[in-house]
Amino acid sequence: MSRKKVLIIEDDPDVLATLVEIMTLEDFGIDSADNGADGEAFLDIGSYDLLIVDWGLPDTTGIELLKKFRSKGVDTPVLMLT
């Protein structure tokens, strides 16, 4: 069975580290970003089974980032953090 890939976009370093640690222990492949621009770059080059996105990012909102992503026709499930 192939490893599921998750992208986490979260600007709080403690929350991000905790999520990465938990998801790694559960054997998910993880990419992570602490701002919208880096998150968008990951979305442009990779495909994911799940996105975990913070509602408020330093350079955009999670909603705006997902609007861009959805406009490209991708329907990956999303878990929003608030």
Side-chain angles (χ1 to χ4, degrees):
M1 183 160 89
S2 69
R3 193 175 199 194
K4 299 293 183 179
K5 286 198 65 181
V6 177
L7 173 60
I8 304 170
I9 307 170
E10 168 61 61
D11 63 321
D12 182 306
D14 293 330
V15 173
L16 180 58
T18 299
L19 289 169
V20 168
E21 180 180 352
I22 290 168
M23 300 301 279
T24 301
L25 288 171
E26 294 297 324
D27 201 33
F28 288 95
I30 304 296
D31 286 330
S32 65
D34 63 2
N35 62 69
D38 290 347
E40 189 171 352
F42 275 114
L43 291 170
D44 285 341
I45 61 171
S47 64
Y48 297 93
D49 298 293
L50 175 67
L51 306 176
I52 301 175
V53 181
D54 188 11
W55 190 274
L57 296 164
D59 55 347
T60 189
T61 67
I63 294 296
E64 289 301 316
L65 184 64
L66 292 174
K67 283 180 183 177
K68 288 180 188 178
F69 188 56
R70 293 286 189 234
S71 73
K72 297 175 183 178
V74 181
D75 62 354
T76 301
V78 177
L79 176 64
M80 293 295 297
L81 302 177
T82 61

